[in-house]
Amino acid sequence: MNARLALLSTVVPGVTESEVFRLALQHAVGELGALGGTVHLRGPMSALRLVSTAGLPPALTGPWEILDQEGPLAPARALHQGSGVWVPLESAGLAGPAGRPDPAGLPAEAAEVTKVAEVSEAADVGWPGTGLVAVPVFSGDRSIGALTLLMGDGGEPTPEQWDFLRAVIAWTEERLPQAPPPSGPSQTELSGERLRQALKQVSVGSWDWNVQTGDLIWDDAALELYGTRPEDFTGKIENWMRIVHPDDLAPTLAAAQQAIRDHGVYEAEYRVRKLDGTWGWTQARGRATYDERGEAHRMIGVGWDSNEPRTARDALSRALRHMSDGFLAVDDDWRITFANLEAERTLGFSEEELFGRILWDLPYARLVPGLESRCRRAAAEEKPAGFDVDIPDDGRRYHLRLVPGPDGRTLYFTDVTEKRRLAEEHRAAERAASERAARIAELTTALAKATTSQDVVDAVARRVLPPFAATGLVVQVREGDRLCNVGSVGYPDDFLDLLGSREGMRPNPLWDAILAGTPLFLSSPQEFASRYPGRADLPGHAGKQAWAFLPLTASGHTFGVCVVAFDRPRRLTDEERTLLTTICALVAQALERARLYDAEHGRSRELQRSLLPRGLPDLPACTAAARYLPAGQGMDVGGDWYDIIPLSGGQVALVVGDVMGHGLPEAATMGRLRTAVHTLADLELPPDEIMSHLNDIVGGMGEESYVTCLYALYDSTTRVCSIARAGHPPPALVSPDGTVHFPELAADPPLGAAEPPFETVELTVPEGSLLVLYTDGLVESAKREIDEGMAELARLLSTAHADGAATGADLERLCDTLTDGLLPADHQAADDAAFLVARLHALTGDRIASWPLPEDPKAAGQARRHVREQLSAWGLDGLTPTTELLASELVGNVVRHAKGPVRLRLLHGAELICEVFDGSLTMPRIRRATETDEGGRGLQLVTALSQRWGTRYTTTGKCIWTEQTLADPDGRREPSPDPLDLAFLDAGDFDGDLDALPFGDQGL
């Protein structure tokens, strides 16, 4: 210890401050066994500047370059207390980024040495050792800095070591006043005029320092002079402290404080650190301003480079002559007065050849269109201007900077071709990265919205292929031992067929990626063929030359593969591979959800299709066509339906309904209601009664069902259409002249919410009229009100009528027209749509025959006579015997069991229909007769003779009807049964009515 102090005492006075600090640190570190040390000096405001280090790397000392004098760190604490400080490392917050201790609860002082816990601004860097020891450095009675050591395993200094530190500090305090002041390079003294002329040729920076707040303002020239990038400038005095040489900091600050105290001029010359790490001499000159209390407020001044030993003009000329940028000086007439070596090389002339020539006469200047006008315009504004110019001949780009001056203009030009190219490539890369990130974000959103597997494939094709410049996509899923194609982009169909026929062959990259569960990247056809020689022909068939085989894994199960392909050989970077792998994980999750939806949706659609009519019946009363269009992708099945139900007597029921909502419950409700409508229609109930029964059914379902329905009953014998509706849009009726109107129907509430009775409206419909029934999904959407949709429907129907729509094929085309005109082109409607188009036909009077009959046994004979005569007139003699028996049985039953009035009617349509009307509401029923019963077999006879039979209520009673086919499937008339055979099947029966026996006009 004494040896080190003796060694320090041999240092002669007059060494620089940095040397004093270096020697003090080296001996302190060596004697105490420390890992390293620092010296900080006071700066303006409350800043401490790091001026010397020993043994510590920049990673540790960098955050300690400027410290707060009032802060909790060891150097500041030593200054504040005026004594040595010991800070154990585990409580100093310097152990690493694990956490920042609370500065509260500092331990009390222990004699001269105080132990403290503190929060470090350098806590992001791990500090080794056991603790910090800091001692203050004084100049007279004022502390000017602190020496800090980072202790190793020795821990807190011993009393002897504390004594050594105090001795080292005393030696430092003794040598500092003896250090020489900073002095710049010697140079010739300049007169005021020569100085002003010299300063015109150098860069002079201005500065403005707020003495009270520490705010600092530098102009662009000052930033360049003091080696500071604009993005690194914080606008605080600490910026200046960081760039001043440690030896020059104290005297420079002292000069500033002296000028402030004496209200004089501040002048100083000191070294500053340049951007390249070297030190250069600068001069500064300024003066302070004071507030009304006489306290210094601001100091404003200028600084300039003073690094050269000759005059500024000579130094500038030499620098300009050899600078890497081209430099020209021209007078007010644009004559060249100076050119450096780079300008001579670029323009192709020597300085002697260039001197005195007008700039615009040079060939190089004439190559750039508009160069002269731009330069003249900039000179006229008397402001510096800079712009890029392109040289057409060699494709080079230069940045030209024009600076006007009192004696002319100076022009700097720099070759920025490579710089601009690199900048453009950098911008392009940034744009590509930004676009890629945006597309990935869009992909995440699109996958979140994707409902079906095709949605997932489309999202990947739109969002993944473009950012990676990929041209092909194949997505396949594993089904047992085979791979099934989910979707593809950029591949011909024949290749997909080939892939499907050979995908079971192994080894192949698809199965390898799935079985291994890891991505496989092949960058060229040669690499593909080398790895899979048995499938080397596939790249040629596919037209691709690089691939990324990405396994699809969700919930720990690999179920498929996504293949991204490229048209040219390409080796993906590690970043691209990682990104594709991440993307594929998102795709796998979305595809797994979509496959579940596809399966469920397929079953739902199949159920719905099974509940709708598989085909429309071919009826003489109407020619019809229909459409059902489900909602767009992402929607569950709906409950819209339509139906045509053939009834007796030339009648037909047309039905359309809508169970509101989407899902399997709605589809099931639709199926139940359609079955109920069929059952009720077969009972030949009037429309209002059918609606009442449906209302009860819906109300009894115990569900929140909302059902609308329209039921239309058309009678081709009377051309009357009876319509009842419950909450449903009215039908469209197109008259033969093309007029379209919507009948005014009562707006009854939906089924389940209505209170019967329902109103029925009867319309007389001209022959050939068009009746259109539809659900609201056809005419209403989020973008269109229902009134607008109905108006558009009317327009389309009127236009179609002008084009003609009579046959079934015409009606099919009309359905296509309505679909194209009223529904979205992409079929992405939000609601289902169903509609039924029916061309109504009337049964002409020559095909209808009707007779009143008396209420006595003679009525049967009259009925047979009317049948024989009418069938003979219609050319249906082959059906006469059978029809006579049917008419006799029906009339006989009416005369015996019912009441009048009695009427017989024959209808000659696609079938022969025999109807008997009476005034009774009692319906006949088939019963089993025993062998001894004399009656009860009449209806069995009717069943045997007719194709079908039935009864229906009328406004005055009932009607019993039978139906017979006119021809067999081969077009031949069916043979008539033998009347005697049929008569004696139930001889003496016919409910006891002898006159009903078919043996003559008057019976037996």
Side-chain angles (χ1 to χ4, degrees), residues 371-392:
L371 176 62
E372 181 179 356
S373 60
R374 295 175 70 178
C375 289
R376 290 185 181 276
R377 186 165 55 250
E381 294 175 356
E382 291 296 328
K383 293 181 180 179
F387 46 84
D388 285 358
V389 295
D390 295 313
I391 308 301

Side-chain angles (χ1 to χ4, degrees), residues 699-735:
M701 286 182 178
E703 302 171 358
E704 295 297 330
S705 298
Y706 178 66
V707 182
T708 66
C709 184
L710 187 144
Y711 185 94
L713 178 63
Y714 174 65
D715 190 340
S716 62
T717 64
T718 61
R719 294 186 289 106
V720 172
C721 185
S722 302
I723 304 174
R725 67 166 179 160
H728 204 84
L733 184 62
V734 185
S735 302

Side-chain angles (χ1 to χ4, degrees), residues 776-798:
D776 59 356
L778 181 69
V779 294
E780 187 178 26
S781 68
K783 299 180 180 179
R784 182 177 59 202
E785 297 293 335
I786 189 170
D787 292 340
E788 300 174 2
M790 292 172 63
E792 181 63 14
L793 172 62
R795 187 190 68 79
L796 292 172
L797 291 173
S798 179

Side-chain angles (χ1 to χ4, degrees), residues 743-767:
E744 294 183 3
L745 307 177
D748 289 314
L751 297 176
E755 295 183 0
F758 288 85
E759 181 176 343
T760 300
V761 175
E762 294 186 349
L763 305 173
T764 300
V765 181
E767 162 65 25

